Amino acid sequence: MKKYLNKIIALVIGIAFVAAVIISLGKIFAIKNVNVTMLTYSDDCTESYNEAKDSFKKFKGESLLLVKSSDFVNAVSDSNYTVVSCEKKYPCTVNVVLKERLETFAVFVGGQYSMYDADGKFLRKCVENVNINDGSPNVELVGVAVEELGDIAKISSLFKDNFKALRSVVSSITLDANSNIADYTEKLVFNLRCGLKIEIDNFNLYTEEKLEAAYAKFVTLTDREKLGGTVRSYHRVDGEVNVVYTANVY
C-alpha cells in the first residue's frame, strides 16, 4: 500500500512540476509588445497606424511560441495594409512591418469604379477614377474579369519593370479574348497616355520576353511615332519573339 501511495505522490508532484513549468513558460513568453512599422505613401498615417495596433491587441498575452506569422497577416487582411515581415523577438516581443496596398487599377462596373491594389486585390469604390493618394487616374482595366485581376496585375508588374512606370505611362489595359473561337489569339493591350499601344499577343506565353522586346522597340521610336500606332510583340512560328511597329493609318 505504501509503495502505491509513494507512486501516486510522485505522480502528483510530477504533474504539479510540469504544470508549474508550463505556467512559467506561458508568463515568460507571453506577448507584451507588438511593435508596428508602417511603409506608407501618405503624409499622415496616424489613423492607419492606430487601427493596425488595435488589430494586433488580441495577441497580447498569447504565447510567443504558439502564434504564427499568418495570424498577423490574417489580422489585417481586410485593411489597406499588408504584412511585409513578422519577426519574433524572445521572450515577449513581435516586430511587424506593414506596407500600404498601393491603389493602382480601376474597373468600371455598375456606374462606378472599383479600385484595386497593385496585386489585383479590391480596395474601395468611387464614382470617379481618382487615386486616393495623389488624385491622378488609376489604370483602367477593360474586358478583365474579377478572377483574372491577379494574373493581369502580375503582367502589369512586369510591364512596370521594363518601362520603369505604370500609372504615369498607361491609361488603360484592354484584354482581347474570345473563348468561343478556337485558336483565337488573345491580346493584352497597354494603351499608353502618349497615344501609343503596346500589344502583347498570346500574353500568357513568354510574357517577360515579349515585354522586353516591346520596350526595346519602344525606345527606338521617335517622339512623333510614340504619339500613335501600335507596337506588337508576338511569338513567331520558328520559336523567336518578334516585335513590329505599325503606324496609324488616317
Side-chain angles (χ1 to χ4, degrees), residues 92-237:
C92 59
T93 300
V94 180
N95 294 327
V96 182
V97 177
L98 298 178
K99 182 179 179 180
E100 184 177 3
R101 293 167 57 191
L102 181 59
E103 187 172 294
T104 304
F105 302 109
V107 178
F108 190 70
V109 180
Q112 62 183 344
Y113 290 94
S114 293
M115 306 303 189
Y116 295 84
D117 68 10
D119 295 320
K121 296 181 180 179
F122 177 77
L123 285 173
R124 66 186 182 97
K125 291 186 177 182
C126 186
V127 294
E128 294 181 294
N129 181 11
V130 177
N131 185 279
I132 195 171
N133 294 310
D134 57 28
S136 298
N138 292 315
V139 178
E140 185 172 355
L141 300 181
V142 181
V144 180
V146 173
E147 59 270 17
E148 298 170 316
L149 283 169
D151 293 333
I152 300 303
K154 290 178 182 178
I155 296 174
S156 299
S157 179
L158 293 175
F159 179 96
K160 184 177 181 180
D161 290 342
N162 283 278
F163 285 77
K164 311 301 185 286
L166 184 64
R167 280 185 56 229
S168 61
V169 174
V170 180
S171 61
S172 63
I173 300 173
T174 302
L175 174 60
D176 180 4
N178 193 331
S179 59
N180 295 322
I181 300 177
D183 299 324
Y184 186 83
T185 300
E186 294 187 336
K187 307 174 185 67
L188 193 64
V189 183
F190 293 83
N191 302 294
L192 307 192
R193 299 189 185 280
C194 62
L196 185 71
K197 297 178 184 294
I198 305 294
E199 177 185 309
I200 310 300
D201 290 5
N202 291 322
F203 57 90
N204 285 316
L205 298 174
Y206 301 96
T207 309
E208 190 167 357
E209 291 84 350
K210 289 174 182 175
L211 284 169
E212 289 175 355
Y215 179 73
K217 184 66 175 179
F218 172 79
V219 297
T220 67
L221 301 180
T222 65
D223 290 342
R224 183 181 180 85
E225 288 173 327
K226 291 177 182 177
L227 294 177
T230 301
V231 171
R232 175 175 169 244
S233 188
Y234 60 97
H235 200 233
R236 294 191 318 207
V237 178

Side-chain angles (χ1 to χ4, degrees), residues 38-57:
M38 308 284 287
L39 304 178
T40 180
Y41 304 93
S42 305
D43 294 330
D44 184 4
C45 63
T46 303
E47 183 177 350
S48 297
Y49 178 82
N50 291 333
E51 288 177 357
K53 291 285 287 186
D54 289 341
S55 298
F56 298 142
K57 278 184 177 179

Side-chain angles (χ1 to χ4, degrees), residues 11-25:
L11 179 60
V12 171
I13 293 174
I15 292 173
F17 176 77
V18 171
V21 170
I22 292 174
I23 293 172
S24 298
L25 289 176

Side-chain angles (χ1 to χ4, degrees), residues 17-38:
F17 176 77
V18 171
V21 170
I22 292 174
I23 293 172
S24 298
L25 289 176
K27 290 183 177 180
I28 293 172
F29 295 111
I31 296 175
K32 295 182 177 66
N33 307 301
V34 179
N35 300 323
V36 178
T37 301
M38 308 284 287

Side-chain angles (χ1 to χ4, degrees), residues 40-95:
T40 180
Y41 304 93
S42 305
D43 294 330
D44 184 4
C45 63
T46 303
E47 183 177 350
S48 297
Y49 178 82
N50 291 333
E51 288 177 357
K53 291 285 287 186
D54 289 341
S55 298
F56 298 142
K57 278 184 177 179
K58 61 184 178 181
F59 297 111
K60 294 289 185 69
E62 296 289 328
S63 173
L64 191 60
L65 299 171
L66 299 179
V67 296
K68 300 172 291 193
S69 296
S70 59
D71 295 329
F72 288 86
V73 171
N74 293 333
V76 294
S77 60
D78 294 328
S79 73
N80 286 344
Y81 289 83
T82 183
V83 175
V84 175
S85 65
C86 183
E87 181 185 12
K88 296 180 181 181
K89 301 290 288 186
Y90 289 94
C92 59
T93 300
V94 180
N95 294 327

